[in-house]
């Protein structure tokens, strides 16, 4: 235990949960998570209370595949060199894996490198892929297509990524990594020279008006020589780092999709263990980037994971990705599979689709970005776990190289990390397919993209001397409602398709009711004056959890207001990405809140 100045220092306790300040849209610190100046409060106000600080060599923000792979690799290197390197990992979910959602077919390349004896250690890779198929859907037909070579899944495994991450957490703890689930990092801490010095955990025990309740505790500060941000897609702290250090200066805007997923128990006679099916086409139109997956896993449980991924660059403000997913399940091929079964889980998550062109600068003084918070998803492969893990491993190696010198590391830059990425198979994978995703953004739409991507993956393989660009951010693509046709979605039947709140109940989502709303509006008037007026209120349609709805404004009869049902939030970050006014900031709630995924 080390004292920082005159302030007390301790390690996180199970009773403490998470706080602090958060950067807004400029390089200057603005008070967003706690929107008041503590120094202006009364001296006896508990929000001015003593700040507990802890010192560590490395702190990792986020307990997903990249964060845990980085933690494991760091401790492996430290143990091999007989060096005492302390590694802390803070995770906002109530337990490791609780906020993890993916398809998922896992390519074990990075896992083989990280833990070669994973089979002997009991990794939950129980369903090897046995069959691949690709289909073009019309409303009533499923037309077989040639299988793209990038999507070949020989040697891969269908997994619950939530279960896999739980297992990774166990491996990390066995090596000596300190994992603290239920602790949400809400602010990046900086040294006087502007370099990152760690993170602040958010205050616990504030009411919805930011007033302290009886069980209030001020958030702890975790100071580190190296801070690795592994927040997943569109991380809230990463967003502030992008602005402060201008990390996107030389990259294209990130492109995103929203992935919606259900897990079903189906009739045993319909279950084909290891079967992998992907589709394109219906229910989307030719200008909307969209595809589906159907994976048969866990033979003893007869589980099927199915989902729809919709590119968040869609143009029609009347589109509801959730309702498109429910409509998709009524396709004859899908409906026949699900009939007689039972839906046991639902979830949704934003994912990166920008690829090579959208990777930002990865390092800055005091830290680095790893995994999906940087954006290493291989879109044509429909896989990102293996690349996320490898990025975490390479960052760990770069951090260890610096830590092993025993020098003063304040403001250290892991420049070797970017070099390692460029020399790795991660870079090669993404570079070879860099033009596939942007090829869909032409007048030919999906058909043009499919044709170009086929030529790219079969023949060009990245050797073409050009790089297509991503020209717009996703929030810039919506057309005004007056230029679009409302979409008439069928009502859910309660058997194959479900209303939104029924499915949200399957996520296990829970937030303490009397806490600050973690979805912050920069301007409370913008939703009505701009989004409702111009786009007919898209918030209620792009959110997959029923968080946003326009209701009658009791204070102004005849007018509407935006109501935020933050207790429904499943932490997908779609609102922060797609809001055409960029008026919504997704911030972390009290640690431990959010979904409680198990089979996703």
């Amino acid at each position: 235990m080390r004292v920082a100045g005159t302030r007390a220092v301790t390690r996180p306790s199970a009773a403490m949960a998470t706080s602090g300040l958060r950067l807004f849209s400029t390089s200057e610190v603005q008070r967003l998570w706690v929107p008041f100046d503590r120094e202006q409060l009364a001296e006896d106000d508990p929000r001015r209370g003593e700040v507990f600080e802890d010192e560590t060599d490395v702190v990792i923000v986020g307990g997903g595949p990249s964060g845990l792979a980085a933690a494991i690799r760091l401790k492996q290197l430290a143990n091999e060199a007989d060096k005492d390197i302390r590694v802390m990992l803070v995770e906002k979910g109530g337990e490791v894996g609780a906020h993890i959602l993916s398809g998922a077919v896992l390519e074990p390349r990075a896992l083989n490198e990280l833990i070669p004896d994973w089979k002997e250690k009991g990794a939950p890779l129980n369903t090897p892929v046995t069959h691949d198929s690709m289909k073009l859907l019309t409303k009533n037909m499923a037309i077989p297509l040639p299988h793209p070579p990038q999507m070949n899944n020989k040697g891969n495994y269908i997994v619950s990524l939530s279960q896999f991450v739980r297992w990774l957490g166990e491996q990390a703890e066995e090596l000596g990594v300190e994992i603290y689930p239920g602790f949400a990092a809400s602010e990046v801490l900086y040294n006087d020279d502007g370099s990152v010095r760690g993170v602040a955990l958010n205050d616990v025990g504030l009411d919805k008006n930011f007033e302290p309740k009886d069980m209030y505790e001020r958030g702890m500060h975790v100071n580190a020589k190296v801070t690795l941000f592994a927040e997943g897609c569109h991380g809230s702290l990463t967003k502030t780092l992008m602005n402060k250090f201008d990390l996107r200066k030389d990259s294209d805007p990130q492109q995103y999709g929203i992935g919606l997923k259900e897990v079903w128990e189906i009739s045993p006679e319909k279950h084909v263990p290891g079967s992998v099916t992907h589709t394109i086409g219906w229910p989307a139109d030719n200008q909307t980037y969209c595809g589906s997956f159907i994976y048969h896993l866990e033979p003893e449980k007869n589980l099927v994971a199915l989902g729809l991924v919709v590119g968040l660059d869609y143009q029609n403000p009347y589109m509801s990705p959730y309702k498109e997913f429910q409509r998709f399940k009524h396709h004859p091929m899908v409906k026949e599979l699900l009939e007689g079964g039972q839906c046991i889980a639902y979830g949704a998550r934003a994912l990166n689709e920008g690829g090579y062109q959208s990777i930002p600068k990865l390092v800055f003084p005091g830290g680095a970005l790893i995994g999906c918070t940087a954006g290493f998803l291989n879109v044509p492969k429909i896989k990102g776990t293996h690349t996320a893990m490898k990025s975490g491993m390479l960052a760990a190696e770069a951090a260890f190289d610096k830590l092993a010198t025993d020098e003063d590391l304040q403001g250290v830059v892991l420049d070797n990390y970017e070099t390692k990425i460029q020399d790795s198979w991660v870079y090669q994978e993404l570079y070879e397919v860099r033009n596939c995703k942007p090829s869909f953004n032409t007048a030919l739409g999906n058909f043009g993209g499919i044709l170009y991507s086929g030529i790219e993956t079969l023949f060009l393989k990245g050797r073409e001397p050009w790089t297509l660009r991503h020209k717009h951010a996703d929030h810039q693509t919506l057309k005004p409602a007056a230029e679009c046709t409302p979409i008439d979605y069928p009502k859910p039947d309660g058997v194959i398709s479900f209303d939104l709140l029924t499915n949200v109940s399957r996520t296990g989502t829970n937030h303490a009711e009397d806490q600050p709303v973690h979805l912050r509006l920069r301007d409370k008037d913008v939703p009505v004056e701009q989004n409702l007026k111009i786009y007919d209120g898209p918030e209620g349609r792009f959110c997959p959890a029923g968080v946003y709805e326009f209701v009658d404004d009791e204070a102004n009869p005849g007018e509407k207001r935006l109501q935020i049902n933050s207790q429904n939030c499943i932490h997908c970050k779609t609102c922060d990405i797609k809001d055409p006014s960029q008026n919504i900031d997704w911030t972390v709630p009290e640690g431990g809140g959010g979904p409680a995924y198990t089979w996703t």
Side-chain angles (χ1 to χ4, degrees):
M1 195 163 68
R2 286 167 275 182
V3 177
T6 61
R7 293 167 290 187
V9 182
T10 186
R11 297 191 182 191
S13 68
M16 293 178 63
T18 64
S19 171
L21 315 175
R22 175 172 124 72
L23 293 175
F24 197 39
S25 60
T26 73
S27 62
E28 301 207 359
V29 176
Q30 298 192 25
R31 300 185 181 278
L32 185 59
W33 202 93
V34 178
F36 51 76
D37 185 349
R38 295 182 194 268
E39 299 305 316
Q40 298 301 315
L41 299 173
E43 290 190 6
D44 61 349
D45 192 304
R47 292 168 294 179
R48 283 193 68 176
E50 194 171 35
V51 178
F52 288 90
E53 297 198 24
D54 200 358
E55 308 285 336
T56 185
D57 294 303
V58 179
V59 63
I60 300 170
V61 182
S66 67
L68 287 165
I72 289 170
R73 186 65 185 132
L74 266 167
K75 292 303 288 188
Q76 287 175 339
L77 292 168
N79 294 344
E80 290 168 5
D82 196 26
K83 284 191 170 289
D84 182 17
I85 293 179
R86 186 183 180 199
V87 180
M88 294 177 63
L89 185 150
V90 293
E91 161 58 36
K92 65 183 174 67
E95 61 180 5
V96 173
H99 289 180
I100 299 296
L101 180 142
S102 183
V105 174
L106 176 67
E107 180 177 319
R109 185 172 186 175
L111 179 61
N112 290 337
E113 296 178 11
L114 183 65
I115 308 174
D117 58 344
W118 56 264
K119 289 184 179 179
E120 292 75 13
K121 292 182 178 293
L125 277 64
N126 303 322
T127 312
V129 175
T130 58
H131 178 71
D132 268 320
S133 65
M134 183 78 181
K135 299 182 186 296
L136 171 65
L137 298 188
T138 66
K139 185 174 182 179
N140 295 305
M141 297 177 62
I143 304 168
L145 294 176
H147 201 264
Q150 281 283 336
M151 297 174 67
N152 177 22
N153 283 304
K154 183 178 180 181
N156 297 338
Y157 295 82
I158 305 172
V159 302
S160 158
L161 195 63
S162 176
Q163 296 288 331
F164 175 67
V165 163
R166 282 177 169 82
W167 177 83
L168 278 181
E170 294 170 0
Q171 309 313 302
E173 287 187 316
E174 288 180 5
L175 288 169
V177 178
E178 299 174 34
I179 299 179
Y180 298 98
F183 289 81
S186 61
E187 177 199 4
V188 181
L189 300 175
Y190 296 95
N191 294 302
D192 291 340
D193 62 5
S195 62
V196 171
R197 83 163 195 266
V199 292
L201 310 180
N202 60 358
D203 294 9
V204 62
L206 290 171
D207 68 17
K208 62 183 180 181
N209 297 315
F210 295 92
E211 294 294 325
K213 296 184 285 190
D214 291 342
M215 44 79 72
Y216 172 81
E217 289 188 63
R218 186 169 174 179
M220 171 185 252
H221 289 186
V222 181
N223 300 321
K225 299 172 183 174
V226 175
T227 305
L228 299 180
F229 293 86
E231 297 180 282
C233 177
H234 203 69
S236 56
L237 298 187
T238 299
K239 180 179 171 182
T240 70
L241 292 164
M242 294 284 186
N243 292 319
K244 181 174 179 63
F245 294 109
D246 200 13
L247 301 180
R248 288 212 168 277
K249 179 177 64 174
D250 299 317
S251 64
D252 289 358
Q254 183 58 268
Q255 308 293 289
Y256 298 94
I258 179 173
L260 305 107
K261 176 182 178 178
E262 291 175 359
V263 180
W264 284 64
E265 292 177 350
I266 65 168
S267 302
E269 62 272 15
K270 298 180 182 180
H271 196 260
V272 184
S275 173
V276 169
T277 300
H278 293 103
T279 79
I280 54 174
W282 189 87
D285 60 35
N286 187 47
Q287 295 301 318
T288 302
Y289 189 78
C290 180
S292 80
F293 60 88
I294 304 173
Y295 304 153
H296 293 240
L297 69 160
E298 299 293 335
E300 295 182 359
K301 297 179 175 65
N302 299 311
L303 298 185
V304 164
L306 74 159
L308 190 73
V309 177
V310 178
L312 286 177
D313 57 352
Y314 66 82
Q315 299 176 351
N316 188 342
Y318 291 109
M319 170 174 274
S320 164
Y322 176 81
K323 291 182 178 179
E324 294 289 345
F325 178 36
Q326 298 308 302
R327 179 160 63 171
F328 157 77
K329 292 185 295 176
H330 283 274
H331 188 279
M333 178 189 76
V334 185
K335 183 178 180 182
E336 190 279 330
L337 175 68
L338 300 180
E339 285 179 330
Q342 178 183 8
C343 180
I344 63 170
Y346 163 75
R349 191 74 169 89
L351 58 148
N352 304 295
E353 293 184 339
Y356 168 81
Q357 294 91 318
S358 298
I359 296 173
K361 184 170 180 58
L362 300 174
V363 298
F364 41 85
L369 307 178
I370 62 177
C372 288
T373 211
F376 291 110
L377 181 82
N378 184 326
V379 174
K381 268 192 176 183
I382 319 181
K383 292 176 184 64
T385 302
H386 66 303
T387 48
M389 290 179 64
K390 182 63 174 178
S391 72
M393 294 157 62
L394 295 176
E397 292 171 5
F400 179 79
D401 290 344
K402 299 290 186 179
L403 292 167
T405 64
D406 292 325
E407 297 176 358
D408 179 11
L409 296 180
Q410 177 174 312
V412 65
V413 177
L414 304 183
D415 42 18
N416 197 28
Y417 169 43
E418 289 193 321
T419 302
K420 287 175 178 289
I421 287 286
Q422 292 167 7
D423 292 341
S424 73
W425 51 260
V426 173
Y427 183 92
Q428 180 182 357
E429 269 197 24
L430 298 183
Y431 186 79
E432 284 183 359
V433 299
R434 67 191 183 280
N435 288 326
C436 289
K437 176 60 169 65
S439 72
F440 284 77
N441 294 322
T442 70
L444 297 177
N446 290 341
F447 291 123
I450 292 167
L451 178 61
Y452 183 93
S453 296
I455 296 172
E456 169 83 9
T457 55
L458 285 170
F459 305 109
L460 298 177
K461 298 184 178 179
R463 292 188 292 264
E464 65 273 26
W466 59 83
T467 297
L468 303 178
R469 314 309 309 188
H470 300 300
K471 298 179 181 179
H472 304 288
D474 290 338
H475 70 268
Q476 298 173 316
T477 60
L478 279 185
K479 293 181 178 179
E483 300 177 15
C484 300
T485 303
I487 301 173
D488 184 19
Y489 289 105
K491 292 184 179 180
D493 63 6
V495 179
I496 300 297
S497 52
F498 310 100
D499 67 83
L500 185 53
L501 294 184
T502 294
N503 254 348
V504 171
S505 70
R506 295 185 173 116
T507 66
T509 296
N510 182 56
H511 295 90
E513 290 187 10
D514 189 17
Q515 67 169 298
V517 173
H518 65 279
L519 303 150
R520 308 289 165 76
L521 299 179
R522 300 184 183 190
D523 185 332
K524 65 180 179 61
D525 297 324
V526 162
V528 172
E529 294 179 358
Q530 294 188 35
N531 288 7
L532 185 61
K533 182 178 180 180
I534 300 172
Y535 304 103
D536 202 11
E539 294 93 330
R541 292 183 285 272
F542 59 57
C543 173
V547 171
Y548 301 97
E549 58 179 331
F550 285 92
V551 299
D552 292 334
D553 187 349
E554 301 87 349
N556 298 286
E559 298 184 10
K560 296 286 186 180
R561 65 176 177 84
L562 180 65
Q563 178 166 297
I564 300 178
N565 306 309
S566 59
Q567 69 275 11
N568 289 0
C569 179
I570 57 177
H571 298 204
C572 74
K573 318 285 182 65
T574 303
C575 57
D576 198 311
I577 297 166
K578 188 59 177 174
D579 175 20
S581 301
Q582 287 296 276
N583 188 51
I584 300 172
D585 277 294
W586 190 98
T587 67
V588 290
E590 284 190 3
Y597 294 139
T598 53
W599 283 107
T600 55

